Amino acid sequence: MDTEWRDFLMSLDLSPRGEPRPLGGGDIAAVSWLETDQGPVVIKRDDPERLSGEAEGLRALRQASTRLVVPEVLGEGEGWLVMEALESAGRAGRDETALGEGLRELHGMTRTAHGWHRDNACGATPQPNAPLEDGRAFQRERRLLPLARACHDRGLLDGRLRTRLERVADGLESWLPSQPASLVHGDLWSGNVMFTRRGPAIIDPAVHRHYPEVDLAMLTLFGAPGEAFFTAYWDGAMPDDWPRREALFQLYPLLNHLLLFGGVYRGGVERAVGRVENG
């Protein structure tokens, strides 16, 4: 084991047992599972600012005191993040009703302004979060237009599709109502949801405050929650324009994937734009 790593663990009063085991999904950070005398932990090695943002997001989600399980941050600094390890309960532990109820409870934590007091990252992409009072303006100025511009500048988005995206962004006030900003996970694809013996858990956040559909649209874009999840989440209050909202809030992650992984995601961007345009 790296001496620096071992020294950092010891500074947290954690005594390693054996060697770390690399975990899958560490496309950005180096992620490992390690047994210690105090119990198993997960260790990440990455850019210090990125890890600081993740640690703060985990603490914010835990402080929300919902029924969702969030790993405890045991220590962070100098490019290391050490947190409580969570173990999957397998298919038998999959409780989508509890996930829906827990996410609805999380989204009930609202404030006036959309955004966050610091920037963080969604995957490898820096995520600007400077607060705005109007969520439509936040979605336009902090999400859609910056990524549309970045994709266009790299030749991943042609002028025609960029213009359509800009029209969608400029027209949000015509159909999307203003509302208070919910606390959102911010990167809630299916790989960031775990079902543990303690209940459904969420990991690897990009926390901010915005429309709750940020999390729902990500779940349906890269996964397919069952009917039990939506029944529990909506609790009879699904908005009539959910399909249009779903498409709108899928645009940001699709643009992000286009920026990170290339043209294979361009078709998804165009389809989502069409769904928003057609209402």
Side-chain angles (χ1 to χ4, degrees):
M1 180 186 295
D2 186 284
T3 301
E4 183 184 355
W5 195 347
R6 182 182 295 275
D7 290 344
F8 186 71
L9 290 170
M10 296 297 287
S11 75
L12 302 175
D13 295 323
L14 294 172
S15 304
R17 296 172 56 187
E19 294 298 317
R21 172 167 55 89
L23 293 176
D27 296 332
I28 302 167
V31 187
S32 298
W33 176 290
L34 179 69
E35 297 291 339
T36 76
D37 289 343
Q38 293 74 30
V41 300
V42 168
I43 306 173
K44 280 192 174 183
R45 178 64 159 163
D46 197 4
D47 173 76
E49 184 63 22
R50 186 188 303 276
L51 290 181
S52 175
E54 180 178 345
E56 182 185 65
L58 289 169
R59 292 187 180 106
L61 293 174
R62 281 180 64 87
Q63 289 169 4
S65 300
T66 70
R67 285 167 283 184
L68 297 174
V69 177
V70 180
E72 180 182 1
V73 174
L74 303 176
E76 54 100 6
E78 302 176 0
W80 302 106
L81 173 61
V82 182
M83 64 197 116
E84 168 191 15
L86 302 179
E87 298 190 63
S88 172
R91 293 183 62 85
R94 188 177 184 87
D95 188 343
E96 292 198 338
T97 295
L99 177 62
E101 291 172 345
L103 199 60
R104 174 161 51 88
E105 188 178 7
L106 176 67
H107 292 162
M109 310 289 179
T110 61
R111 296 290 187 274
T112 301
H114 293 247
W116 199 240
H117 67 273
R118 65 183 289 179
D119 295 344
N120 48 30
C122 189
T125 303
Q127 182 164 268
N129 291 320
L132 291 170
E133 291 297 313
D134 191 310
R136 284 87 53 98
F138 183 88
Q139 179 64 203
R140 176 169 52 250
E141 303 298 333
R142 306 287 189 259
R143 296 294 183 261
L144 296 181
L145 294 185
L147 277 191
R149 181 171 58 250
C151 289
H152 182 262
D153 289 348
R154 295 191 187 181
L156 298 167
L157 205 63
D158 61 40
R160 181 186 61 83
L161 185 52
R162 179 181 177 179
T163 297
R164 290 173 64 195
L165 271 162
E166 289 171 343
R167 287 174 180 162
V168 164
D170 290 338
L172 293 180
E173 283 82 357
S174 69
W175 66 273
L176 185 66
S178 178
Q179 66 183 68
S182 294
L183 183 63
V184 296
H185 175 283
D187 191 16
L188 199 63
W189 69 290
S190 58
N192 284 341
V193 177
M194 295 179 62
F195 292 94
T196 75
R197 291 181 177 84
R198 292 158 50 197
I202 52 178
I203 61 174
D204 294 342
V207 164
H208 56 288
R209 295 186 186 277
H210 198 25
Y211 284 84
E213 285 87 355
V214 165
D215 287 340
L216 301 180
M218 182 72 87
L219 276 175
T220 59
L221 180 61
F222 298 116
E227 183 178 346
F229 167 81
F230 285 105
T231 298
Y233 181 84
W234 293 122
D235 194 27
M238 183 179 74
D240 292 338
D241 61 354
W242 157 240
R244 193 178 193 186
R245 293 185 184 217
E246 178 186 41
L248 170 66
F249 290 102
Q250 285 179 348
L251 277 173
Y252 173 64
L254 283 167
L255 285 166
N256 190 26
H257 277 67
L258 177 62
L259 185 67
L260 294 174
F261 306 116
V264 67
Y265 286 96
R266 187 188 180 283
V269 171
E270 187 156 21
R271 287 189 293 274
V273 169
R275 290 171 60 201
V276 178
E277 290 171 332
N278 295 328

